[in-house]
């Protein structure tokens, strides 16, 4: 891994300015990574515990579930709470900023189907992709009810899809289908457009851009103008599995290592 990285793109680093490694950590295979608005990273360890790291790489908080399950995703972007989605148990654990449990949502209270992806909505509700019934669901865990639902038959091919990721951002809901692209809905679940970017398992969102990892680069696309740009990442003998950019730090994850760079 290179210790210095030059990014020659405006908006993230001035041309020719090297970025110094903030820290490097060994990580278990298939660690999940999320960032909060303070650029703190969240990792899952080999026992599916969630670790909160500061920007020096120190573990400052830890959540250990009372019942083990497969941690499919962690989302820490909201200022109010963090969600952890356990797909095998069809449950969502809600946590505060210190990884203290706030509540547990059993998704079987809302659907008899199988939820494959989940995310927090801006109104403190939850978005779910129900693969069995092929619907987007918006649920209110305080009232234990579905508030919105969107049938997806007219939007996606039910026979050929692979939904990997959901994220609400700036009043839009982004749904990543590895086979056909990124589907954009409004905050009521109404379909708006498809971005034909395939072979993705997740996307990142920063400022007015979305970004994704491809060919050892971060590819950026503006959310409104659709203008594209790219950032070349350091060479690595092991392919990156995830890359996330915060306001000040860039995190690059491989199956064995997490490296944080000072980003801007």
């Amino acid at each position: 891994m290179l210790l210095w990285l030059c990014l020659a793109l405006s908006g993230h680093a001035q041309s020719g300015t090297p970025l110094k490694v903030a820290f490097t950590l060994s990580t278990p295979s298939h660690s999940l990574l999320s960032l909060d608005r303070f650029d703190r990273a969240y990792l899952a360890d080999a026992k599916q515990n969630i670790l909160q790291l500061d920007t020096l790489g120190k573990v400052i908080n830890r959540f250990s579930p009372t019942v083990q399950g497969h941690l499919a995703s962690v989302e820490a972007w909201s200022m109010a709470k963090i969600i952890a989605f356990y797909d095998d148990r069809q449950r969502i654990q809600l946590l505060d900023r210190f990884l203290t449990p706030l509540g547990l949502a059993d998704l079987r209270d809302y659907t008899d189907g199988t939820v494959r992806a989940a995310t927090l909505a801006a109104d403190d509700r939850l978005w779910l992709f129900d693969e069995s019934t092929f619907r987007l669901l918006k649920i209110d865990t305080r009232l234990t009810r579905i508030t919105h639902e969107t049938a997806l038959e007219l939007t996606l091919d039910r026979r050929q899809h692979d939904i990997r990721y959901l994220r609400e951002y700036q009043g839009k809901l982004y749904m990543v289908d590895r086979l056909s692209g990124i589907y954009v809905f409004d905050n009521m679940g109404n379909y708006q457009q498809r971005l034909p970017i395939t072979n993705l398992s997740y996307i990142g969102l920063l400022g007015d851009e979305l970004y994704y990892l491809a060919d050892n680069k971060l590819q950026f696309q503006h959310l409104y103008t659709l203008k594209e740009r790219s950032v070349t990442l350091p060479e690595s003998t092991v392919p990156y599995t995830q890359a996330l950019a915060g306001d000040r730090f860039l995190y690059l994850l491989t199956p064995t290592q997490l490296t944080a760079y000072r980003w801007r």
Side-chain angles (χ1 to χ4, degrees), residues 50-121:
I50 300 173
L51 311 179
Q52 182 189 58
L53 309 179
D54 65 14
T55 53
L56 299 176
K58 178 183 176 182
V59 176
I60 53 176
N61 288 298
R62 180 192 307 264
F63 169 70
S64 300
T66 55
V67 179
Q68 292 294 324
H70 178 257
L71 189 56
S73 63
V74 176
E75 183 177 310
W77 178 251
S78 169
M79 293 291 289
K81 62 184 63 173
I82 297 164
I83 70 167
F85 172 44
Y86 296 87
D87 56 355
D88 58 344
R89 296 187 173 275
Q90 291 289 282
R91 291 181 177 180
I92 289 177
Q93 177 70 60
L94 304 174
L95 306 165
D96 70 10
R97 306 309 310 172
F98 304 100
L99 298 185
T100 303
L102 294 174
L104 189 66
D106 190 334
L107 304 182
R108 292 167 294 189
D109 292 337
Y110 304 89
T111 176
D112 294 328
T114 300
V115 173
R116 293 297 184 192
T119 192
L120 187 66

Side-chain angles (χ1 to χ4, degrees), residues 179-198:
L179 300 179
S180 59
I182 303 167
Y183 292 82
V184 185
F185 302 82
D186 67 17
N187 60 5
M188 301 292 286
N190 299 306
Y191 171 70
Q192 294 188 328
Q193 65 174 322
R194 179 178 67 91
L195 305 177
I197 308 169
T198 58

Side-chain angles (χ1 to χ4, degrees), residues 12 33-35 39 77 165 167 169 174 176 182 195 197 200-214 217-223 229-231 233 242-247 249-252 263-264:
H12 288 274
L33 179 63
S34 183
L35 297 182
D39 283 6
W77 178 251
Y165 186 75
R167 172 76 183 277
Y169 187 75
Y174 295 85
V176 176
I182 303 167
L195 305 177
I197 308 169
L200 300 182
S201 296
Y202 77 99
I203 57 171
L205 293 147
L206 181 65
D208 288 337
E209 293 177 300
L210 68 80
Y211 62 88
Y212 56 94
L213 182 63
K217 294 181 179 180
L218 271 188
Q219 302 287 346
F220 285 82
Q221 181 169 307
H222 198 280
L223 297 175
R229 62 187 183 88
S230 64
V231 172
L233 300 177
Q242 200 171 0
L244 287 182
D247 288 332
F249 289 83
L250 169 68
Y251 291 86
L252 301 179
W263 176 245
R264 55 182 178 178

Side-chain angles (χ1 to χ4, degrees), residues 127-174:
W127 284 107
L128 312 174
F129 168 64
D130 185 336
E131 186 173 60
S132 302
T133 61
F134 212 55
R135 296 178 299 165
L136 272 178
L137 303 177
K138 194 175 192 181
I139 65 171
D140 189 326
T141 59
R142 293 162 297 187
L143 302 176
T144 318
R145 67 183 181 91
I146 296 173
T147 61
H148 297 89
E149 56 183 293
T150 301
L152 296 174
E153 280 85 356
L154 298 180
T155 306
L156 286 84
D157 185 347
R158 184 165 187 164
R159 298 165 299 177
Q160 191 173 13
H161 68 275
D162 186 4
I163 306 301
R164 297 294 187 94
Y165 186 75
L166 285 175
R167 172 76 183 277
E168 184 176 318
Y169 187 75
Q170 294 187 0
K172 308 287 186 182
L173 178 66
Y174 295 85

Side-chain angles (χ1 to χ4, degrees), residues 19-62:
L19 298 186
K20 187 177 181 179
V21 170
F23 65 83
T24 299
L25 293 177
S26 296
T27 59
S29 181
H30 308 300
S31 290
L32 296 169
L33 179 63
S34 183
L35 297 182
D36 64 21
R37 298 193 189 193
F38 302 99
D39 283 6
R40 294 178 298 211
Y42 296 75
L43 286 174
D45 66 15
K47 295 183 179 180
Q48 304 289 283
N49 301 310
I50 300 173
L51 311 179
Q52 182 189 58
L53 309 179
D54 65 14
T55 53
L56 299 176
K58 178 183 176 182
V59 176
I60 53 176
N61 288 298
R62 180 192 307 264

